[in-house]
Amino acid sequence: MAAHLSDPQDVGIHARHVSTVSTIDSEMNDESGNPIWKNRVESWKDKKNNKKKKGAKNNKTEQAPAEIPPEQQMEDKQEALMQQPLSEIVPMSRNKLTPYRAVIIMRLVILGLFFHYRITNPVDSAFGLWLTSVICEIWFAFSWVLDQFPKWSPINRVTYLDTLSARFERPGEPCELAPVDFFVSTVDPLKEPPLITANTVLSILALDYPVEKVSCYVSDDGAAMLSFESLAETAEFARKWVPFCKKYSIEPRAPEFYFSQKIDYLKDKVQPSFVKERRAMKRDYEEYKIRVNAMVARAQKTPEEGWTMQDGTPWPGNNTRDHPGMIQVFLGNTGARDTDGNELPRLVYVSREKRPGYQHHKKAGAENALVRVSAVLTNAPYILNLDCDHYVNNSKAVREAMCFLMDPQVGRDVCYVQFPQRFDGIDKSDRYANRNVVFFDVNMKGLDGIQGPVYVGTGCVFNRQALYGYGPPSMPTLTKSSSSSSSCSCCPTKKKKAELDATEVYKDAKREELNAAIFNLHEIDNYDEYERSMLMSQRSFEKTFGLSSVFIESTLMENGGVPESVNSSALIKEAIHVISCSYEEKTEWGKEIGWIYGSVTEDILTGFKMQCRGWRSIYCMPLRPAFKGSAPINLSDRLHQVLRWALGSVEIFLSRHCPLWYGFGGGRLKWLQRLAYINTIVYPFTSLPLIAYCLIPAICLLTGKFIIPTLSNLASVLFLGLFMSIILTAVLELRWSGVGIEDLWRNEQFWVIGGVSAHLFAVFQGFLKMLAGIDTNFTVTAKAAEDAEFGELYMVKWTTVLIPPTTLLIVNIVGVVAGFSDALNKGYEAWGPLFGKVFFAFWVILHLYPFLKGLMGRQNRTPTIVVLWSVLLASVFSLVWVKINPFVNKVDPMEIAGTCSSIDC
């Protein structure tokens, strides 16, 4: 410390640590010539003398504690806050977790005994049904293992935003919070209304985060002039909206959802001007909505000559499949300021170039284009991507993520921080499990205790370096043997693995010397000839990242920022270059870096590749949901959404990135994490045994056969134990996760509904697409919905996906009626076997009940399902009534015979 303090240039660096030096050391260094240091030493000397005088006066053996000045108290408090962690892991209580694990093991043992009984006790009279049921049950047990064991060690996390501010936002010093680039992607403004996208953009611009650290990039992959004009109108409205949000700290900061809240908006508001300004802002927003809606109305019919801009020139995106790249910076350092004269975050419109004959890779390609544009223009070290219908519901969401990413102990190995998805506009009963509560509140917490949650496509903050294909800094480079072990390693060939390892070595070596000649390998003196031969040349960099020296230089800047060597006037030109349709040709984009191509669910594939390199992810669940979006609430749209997800899983299963054989080299993916990824790609195949199993009860009722022989006492105990273990597992899972039983039941119901419909079609469509190259599309025809709250819930869109579950319902209902009829004809001895068959049939009907309600819709505000259930129950009770004949007197047959014999015919 004395050596450092002897240099006047170092005083500013170490001023925060002076308070830790003792008084004796201070006297030794009094000759340093630093006036601040001398004043501090003199104040300490005075305090020491006062202590001695006070001690002598009071004849005390101990010195009285000196009064600490307020300035020093503030500094000490600041130092104490800086020493505290930014986040902590809160493990689950042992009282909740130990019984949960014990029941899982018990259930596994019971399953083993159950299958031993099932296999050793075949049913000869119904051998085909028995064999089918055993195969289905084995597959269900395998699926349960894949789903259950990744939830073995669930955890919670807590963040400390005050500590984050104390460490990186010190008064009188520049803010050290990391910059963040936001990505918002949209395609068709007629299907994704511009007002929805605008609310997402406005909520980003009004974040509780330093303005100079926020940049919002909006990708318009449809090159629609409507999107461009609405974004220009949004940028103008943001000049009023952003200062209003920050002045009164309102939540949420998306105007559509803020003004539609049915709460007391005066709560916690103390400024008298709030009511007046809120009314004025609401009026301004309604006028803004009218202007945007007028644009949408004009865009319904495209002119024959195409759209023209205000200056009379044709809109470059008139041909959505053949147009140049477009970039427009609406707000930023040189753009318009808000009504209070303050700087606004940067807002950039991006539409990548499209030409015939090029593969554009849909959303994944658009996200990769945004990665390159943002790297050239702002190059923030972190990226947050949102769907256009997911707005920021918690203005401190980015700070929550920074508590993990900027923590020097935790953030080094974190590739992304994933937030749970929450939704607006869903019916209270959540008929079709749109909220996915079980997945987000149970499965994701379990994964967070292993290697982190999977990436779900939105509401995720990325480490930019992880997207570039680099490994985590703390992870050792793979050895030569492991890198060339097999084609199943994380990087499929020895050549690619060597290049990626060389990239990591080179990046670490030159990160401190960005202003030097970064591609001049002969200037590196700290490597021997073998390591020098491993370093990538400029040609290798271009082969990986593309032909842009500005972008390549930005990839080596771990802390972000635009390279000083680049002329700022050429940045836009360079940004246009990196979004050209030919830029990714013969590069690693979509293969090893950026969003990965090859599946419609690029999110799972991208996160999987990162974690194969050794990165881990973090699951962040703030008390106030970070982001909220919209979800399809009618049956057909929900099934088509699930169909798309399942199709993506089948595509990954049939690709080289399948978790069953990919990423074993180096052992960087934990085995429980691999089980979770295997579950995400094999779950659609459960549809095949599920459909067979749902048909078995109806077949048993119609044929009079059954899949289980006459139960012995041991078999009864096994069946009872299995059902009890299933119930106990669910109850204990609800206990530690906090999920409600209704959410669990809805999830269970939709697992069956989706499994026998969307998942089945995804399997066949995936095989047709991957093996035969046939892309099948399912057409949807909609009927009119009623104008009422949740009116869309009752909309029926007939599609082929609805056929299998409808068939299962009809067959099982017919089977129940036939079973009761048969039992009535055979007598009371047939009611015992009937019970088991009817139980399984009702299991199927109860799980498909939400589907049945959605299928019937709503007519005259009375669900038709009531009529259907009435017919079923009336049929059963009618048959019972006829058999019992309660109003007919029972006559003795002998008496009747005697009467007949006395009659003289």
Side-chain angles (χ1 to χ4, degrees):
M1 180 65 76
H4 284 299
L5 290 174
S6 63
D7 187 358
Q9 295 179 354
D10 291 337
V11 171
I13 300 175
H14 299 282
R16 297 195 302 273
H17 306 288
V18 165
S19 60
T20 62
V21 184
S22 66
T23 306
I24 297 176
D25 295 333
S26 302
E27 293 176 358
M28 292 174 61
N29 297 319
D30 193 36
E31 302 291 327
S32 63
N34 179 4
I36 300 176
W37 178 247
K38 286 183 177 181
N39 293 336
R40 180 66 61 85
V41 171
E42 290 297 331
S43 65
W44 284 348
K45 286 181 178 179
D46 293 340
K47 293 174 193 172
K48 187 174 181 180
N49 293 332
N50 291 335
K51 288 181 185 178
K52 290 181 179 179
K53 292 178 181 178
K54 189 173 182 180
K57 182 177 180 181
N58 297 325
N59 296 322
K60 293 184 178 178
T61 57
E62 295 180 354
Q63 291 184 351
E67 183 182 353
I68 302 176
E71 296 81 3
Q72 188 175 346
Q73 289 181 5
M74 186 64 67
E75 288 184 7
D76 292 342
K77 184 177 180 181
Q78 203 80 359
E79 290 290 335
L81 274 175
M82 291 180 63
Q83 298 301 322
Q84 293 179 2
L86 297 178
S87 65
E88 283 184 346
I89 294 177
V90 182
M92 295 291 175
S93 170
R94 288 183 178 272
N95 296 332
K96 297 180 179 179
L97 211 53
T98 303
Y100 177 65
R101 292 173 175 173
V103 169
I104 292 174
I105 299 300
M106 181 184 72
R107 182 173 172 180
L108 201 61
V109 173
I110 293 175
L111 272 174
L113 297 174
F114 171 78
F115 283 122
H116 178 268
Y117 169 79
R118 292 283 282 130
I119 293 172
T120 56
N121 291 271
V123 182
D124 296 329
S125 61
F127 188 80
L129 290 176
W130 168 83
L131 182 61
T132 303
S133 66
V134 170
I135 293 173
C136 294
E137 288 161 3
I138 292 174
W139 179 266
F140 295 152
F142 171 69
S143 299
W144 172 76
V145 170
L146 292 180
D147 181 69
Q148 188 66 63
F149 278 91
K151 297 183 282 190
W152 185 260
S153 302
I155 61 172
N156 290 314
R157 296 181 184 270
V158 60
T159 56
Y160 301 107
L161 300 183
D162 293 339
T163 306
L164 180 76
S165 297
R167 188 175 296 184
F168 298 106
E169 293 180 295
R170 293 183 292 273
E173 298 183 22
C175 176
E176 297 179 4
L177 288 173
V180 182
D181 288 338
F182 287 78
F183 293 173
V184 179
S185 54
T186 183
V187 180
D188 187 353
L190 298 180
K191 294 181 179 179
E192 300 166 336
L195 269 177
I196 299 297
T197 305
N199 272 271
T200 300
V201 171
L202 289 169
S203 67
I204 293 172
L205 299 179
L207 274 172
D208 182 8
Y209 206 72
V211 171
E212 69 277 7
K213 307 287 186 178
V214 177
S215 300
C216 179
Y217 293 84
V218 180
S219 170
D220 176 20
D221 221 30
M225 187 173 174
L226 173 58
S227 298
F228 180 84
E229 289 185 335
S230 65
L231 197 62
E233 198 69 42
T234 302
E236 183 64 25
F237 177 71
R239 298 177 62 243
K240 303 176 183 178
W241 175 251
V242 173
F244 172 75
C245 293
K246 295 187 174 181
K247 180 178 180 181
Y248 297 107
S249 302
I250 66 168
E251 297 283 2
R253 300 191 177 181
E256 182 70 27
F257 302 95
Y258 170 69
F259 289 120
S260 63
Q261 289 183 114
K262 297 179 181 179
I263 61 172
D264 181 14
Y265 63 85
L266 298 178
K267 186 178 180 181
D268 300 328
K269 298 295 185 292
V270 295
Q271 298 97 324
S273 59
F274 172 69
V275 175
K276 181 179 179 180
E277 291 194 29
R278 185 184 185 278
R279 289 172 180 168
M281 184 55 61
K282 187 174 183 180
R283 183 177 61 251
D284 291 339
Y285 176 64
E286 289 172 350
E287 292 174 355
Y288 159 76
K289 284 178 65 176
I290 290 174
R291 292 194 295 271
V292 174
N293 289 334
M295 296 177 186
V296 175
R298 289 196 302 270
Q300 297 298 322
K301 186 177 180 180
T302 306
E304 294 182 2
E305 65 278 6
W307 299 104
T308 56
M309 294 186 287
Q310 292 182 356
D311 58 359
T313 57
W315 170 247
N318 278 323
N319 187 343
T320 58
R321 298 183 179 181
D322 187 3
H323 64 84
M326 295 178 282
I327 294 177
Q328 175 68 46
V329 181
F330 286 107
L331 301 174
N333 295 329
T334 58
R337 294 178 175 265
D338 64 26
T339 53
D340 293 343
N342 300 317
E343 182 183 341
L344 286 168
R346 189 186 301 263
L347 177 60
V348 184
Y349 170 88
V350 179
S351 182
R352 57 180 174 147
E353 181 186 20
K354 287 190 176 181
R355 301 295 181 192
Y358 287 92
Q359 180 62 260
H360 301 294
H361 303 289
K362 299 180 179 179
K363 180 182 176 181
E367 296 287 351
N368 284 337
L370 290 182
V371 170
R372 297 191 294 270
V373 168
S374 62
V376 171
L377 297 181
T378 52
N379 196 33
Y382 302 110
I383 294 171
L384 195 158
N385 85 295
L386 289 173
D387 289 341
C388 65
D389 60 345
H390 275 70
Y391 65 92
V392 182
N393 183 65
N394 184 348
S395 61
K396 298 183 183 295
V398 179
R399 293 178 180 269
E400 297 274 357
M402 290 302 118
C403 286
F404 302 107
L405 294 169
M406 296 189 69
D407 191 322
Q409 302 299 325
V410 178
R412 287 173 56 84
D413 295 336
V414 176
C415 54
Y416 59 82
V417 175
Q418 178 66 60
F419 292 88
Q421 292 185 18
R422 305 300 187 203
F423 301 98
D424 286 320
I426 297 177
D427 57 301
K428 294 180 180 179
S429 63
D430 193 13
R431 180 186 294 179
Y432 307 123
N434 282 282
R435 293 189 178 94
N436 283 331
V437 176
V438 173
F439 174 75
F440 286 112
D441 290 14
V442 180
N443 295 67
M444 296 286 264
K445 283 184 179 180
L447 291 176
D448 200 18
I450 309 172
Q451 200 172 339
V454 298
Y455 168 46
V456 296
T458 184
C460 186
V461 186
F462 283 96
N463 183 336
R464 189 183 282 268
Q465 294 293 308
L467 282 170
Y468 290 155
Y470 297 128
S474 63
M475 182 65 67
T477 305
L478 293 180
T479 61
K480 185 176 179 180
S481 60
S482 64
S483 65
S484 59
S485 58
S486 69
S487 62
C488 295
S489 65
C490 187
C491 301
T493 63
K494 182 196 295 185
K495 182 178 179 182
K496 288 185 178 180
K497 181 64 213 170
E499 289 180 351
L500 288 174
D501 288 346
T503 305
E504 181 66 26
V505 175
Y506 185 72
K507 176 171 70 76
D508 293 338
K510 299 305 293 176
R511 189 174 287 137
E512 302 295 334
E513 304 172 359
L514 289 173
N515 293 328
I518 62 173
F519 300 122
N520 187 359
L521 302 182
H522 299 290
E523 294 183 4
I524 303 177
D525 301 324
N526 296 327
Y527 296 94
D528 56 26
E529 290 300 318
Y530 173 76
E531 291 173 321
R532 189 191 301 271
S533 66
M534 291 291 291
L535 296 178
M536 294 180 69
S537 63
Q538 181 176 0
R539 181 176 299 177
S540 299
F541 267 104
E542 292 174 346
K543 185 178 179 180
T544 301
F545 294 110
L547 297 172
S548 172
S549 58
V550 176
F551 176 74
I552 290 173
E553 190 172 356
S554 72
T555 63
L556 300 173
M557 304 180 70
E558 184 178 11
N559 296 322
V562 178
E564 297 178 0
S565 59
V566 180
N567 183 3
S568 58
S569 62
L571 287 180
I572 293 293
K573 182 179 179 180
E574 193 69 21
I576 291 290
H577 168 61
V578 298
I579 60 172
S580 60
C581 56
S582 60
Y583 183 84
E584 294 184 357
E585 285 191 331
K586 298 180 180 179
T587 67
E588 295 297 322
W589 283 102
K591 302 172 186 175
E592 297 296 333
I593 61 177
W595 270 257
I596 306 302
Y597 305 149
S599 171
V600 294
T601 52
E602 70 287 331
D603 44 9
I604 290 179
L605 199 52
T606 302
F608 174 63
K609 293 274 286 188
M610 290 180 182
Q611 293 186 339
C612 281
R613 298 188 184 105
W615 293 93
R616 74 152 293 133
S617 55
I618 297 289
Y619 195 50
C620 182
M621 293 183 65
L623 293 177
R624 180 179 179 86
F627 309 100
K628 280 191 174 184
S630 58
I633 64 172
N634 73 71
L635 178 61
S636 303
D637 289 346
R638 173 70 167 137
L639 288 177
H640 277 274
Q641 182 189 54
V642 174
L643 170 61
R644 179 181 174 277
W645 295 343
L647 176 60
S649 296
V650 175
E651 289 174 342
I652 296 174
F653 178 81
L654 298 174
S655 72
R656 71 183 186 92
H657 292 115
C658 179
L660 287 170
W661 51 74
Y662 182 87
F664 281 97
R668 295 181 172 184
L669 189 69
K670 296 182 179 180
W671 70 274
L672 278 179
Q673 193 78 12
R674 185 176 296 278
L675 278 185
Y677 276 110
I678 291 174
N679 187 43
T680 61
I681 58 112
V682 302
Y683 78 89
F685 297 96
T686 305
S687 59
L688 299 174
L690 187 59
I691 281 195
Y693 209 69
C694 289
L695 278 173
I696 287 176
I699 296 174
C700 290
L701 286 167
L702 293 172
T703 61
K705 299 178 181 179
F706 200 40
I707 59 175
I708 299 174
T710 303
L711 293 179
S712 62
N713 292 335
L714 176 61
S716 301
V717 171
L718 279 178
F719 275 90
L720 184 61
L722 182 60
F723 283 115
M724 289 300 297
S725 65
I726 292 173
I727 295 172
L728 280 175
T729 306
V731 169
L732 293 174
E733 203 166 82
L734 297 179
R735 186 167 171 245
W736 67 253
S737 66
V739 174
I741 189 170
E742 184 179 5
D743 292 317
L744 182 67
W745 173 237
R746 291 299 185 205
N747 181 78
E748 187 75 15
Q749 285 180 311
F750 199 78
W751 175 75
V752 175
I753 294 171
V756 299
S757 56
H759 297 173
L760 179 67
F761 277 81
V763 171
F764 287 108
Q765 187 177 356
F767 275 99
L768 287 174
K769 182 177 181 180
M770 301 300 292
L771 302 180
I774 301 174
D775 193 3
T776 307
N777 293 317
F778 300 97
T779 58
V780 178
T781 304
K783 293 183 179 179
E786 299 179 20
D787 295 328
E789 187 179 11
F790 306 123
E792 189 182 354
L793 180 66
Y794 306 101
M795 183 185 298
V796 181
K797 301 179 180 179
W798 289 102
T799 172
T800 50
V801 178
L802 304 178
I803 294 176
T806 305
T807 304
L808 286 175
L809 273 170
I810 294 173
V811 169
N812 276 278
I813 291 174
V814 170
V816 170
V817 176
F820 273 102
S821 301
D822 187 60
L824 289 169
N825 291 328
K826 290 183 177 179
Y828 293 103
E829 65 276 1
W831 288 90
L834 177 67
F835 175 76
K837 302 172 187 177
V838 171
F839 173 81
F840 284 111
F842 271 100
W843 179 89
V844 175
I845 295 172
L846 284 175
H847 279 77
L848 294 176
Y849 181 71
F851 172 84
L852 194 55
K853 289 182 68 176
L855 196 65
M856 294 300 170
R858 184 174 64 176
Q859 298 176 0
N860 298 324
R861 300 192 178 274
T862 301
T864 311
I865 190 65
V866 175
V867 179
L868 191 63
W869 276 109
S870 300
V871 172
L872 173 62
L873 294 176
S875 303
V876 173
F877 284 119
S878 297
L879 292 170
V880 173
W881 188 275
V882 169
K883 180 66 178 178
I884 295 175
N885 291 326
F887 295 112
V888 178
N889 294 326
K890 299 297 182 181
V891 182
D892 187 2
M894 296 301 296
E895 182 180 350
I896 296 176
T899 305
C900 292
S901 61
S902 63
I903 298 177
D904 184 5
C905 297

